[in-house]
Amino acid sequence: MDSFRFLTAGESHGPTLGVTIDGVPAGLALTAADLAVDLGRRQRGYGRGARQAIESDRAEIVAGVRHGRTLGSPILLLVANRDWENWGAVMQAEPLTEEQGAELRAAAAEGVKRATPVTRVRPGHADLAGALKYGHSDIRNVLERASARETAARVAAGGVARAFLRELGIEVWSFTAEVGGVAADPARATRSREETDASPLRCPDPEAEARMIARIDEARSAGDTVGGVFEVVAHGVPIGLGSYVQWDRRLDAALAAAVMSINIVKGVELGLGFEQTRRFGSAVHDVIDGRTDDGRWIHRSNNAGGTTGGVSNGEPIVVRGAVKPISTLAKPLPSADLITGQPVDRAHYERSDISVVPAAGVIGEAMVMLTLARVVLETLGGDRMDVVRERMAAHRRLMGTAPAGPEIGGRASTPGGDEAGSGGDD
Ligand code: EPS
């Protein structure tokens, strides 16, 4: 059975979002206050739209936890949509009464946008392919679920994974690396992790951040949107998570899929990523300096981003997500009508954000944490936290201990001696 398996539900303007998380060990300390931290971080960031002034996300723990400890049973979290109150019959689950139907039609005839079915598809959104796939004539049936509002539920689930990983000495954070082509410069990254988190774009380089903000302002005044890059870093990940023996057990692949699943992400890199293709091997591969007396393996650099051969190698995991510009533009692109199939001057416009790179980083953290939590339990097993903690301690010890020297021709050889050489890559 998969550990930390989770499924979300909920529409953007429905009453609530929800997430069920299955396979969380018993005995983990967990409160709603723990989950509130990341939910708050996800809502912030320069470039967010008016919706965030309405919402104040909190996760209610409604199952799987008793007196502040997980039970080992499925956890159910609910994150209410405050905006739902403003949508009324447009989003109700029950069939419309005749009276309600008549009221909505009258409102639509008067030009009330919310009451009007959406038919002008937005380029870059799920609108067209989604409506055709599910046979919807009102694109609202697609956009309500394709909306990135859903990621609030993922971040709530990510909070559970954070509490779990923290007990095992694994910490995950993120920052904004790029917005609209302006990149943070590591040499000018003067802010601490706390200062970065409190800054308008969650960027460690204040000078680059000022130019990123200018790019967002430029997009806003042009009725446009702008994307960027976030970087998620996981510290304290032991050697030996994931595997090279089968494609679906590779940690790098699992992380890439998890981050790619975020609504707005169009590319994922680990470590140096695509930059590796522009360098010689000697300028890419991380030289291994050996094992310290306390059992840590030292790499001279971390261009691989913490995994080699699909296995964590003890260095920090570094995952970057490419965030496309939001597809709902205040100055809409030309498009076409779903029903008539004819071109229209302007796609549908629905209130939206200008840029969400800092929020996407927090969502990236959640997806990385949920993936790591699953793989940790796949590796260690354990239904209860005391057992998982013990197994993690044993695993860390083992990863820092020398294996017995290899057997050659039936006799044990000297570790590190010439005859113990691997003989190359074949
Ligand atoms: C979104 C559109 C906006 C965003 C929303 C994602 O919502 P609304 O149409 O209600 O203004 O604010 O994101 C969130 C609500 C959120 O909490 O992240 C979209 O179309 O994807």
Side-chain angles (χ1 to χ4, degrees), residues 294-316:
D294 59 354
R296 283 177 306 115
W297 281 93
I298 307 293
H299 293 82
R300 211 172 280 175
S301 52
N302 185 23
N303 292 336
T307 74
T308 30
V311 187
S312 59
N313 63 17
E315 294 294 331

Side-chain angles (χ1 to χ4, degrees), residues 13 42 48 51-52 125 147-149 350-353:
H13 304 102
R42 193 198 71 93
R48 280 295 230 166
R51 175 77 184 268
Q52 298 312 316
H125 220 284
S147 162
R149 175 74 189 145
E350 178 131 347
R351 174 190 64 186
S352 192
D353 312 89

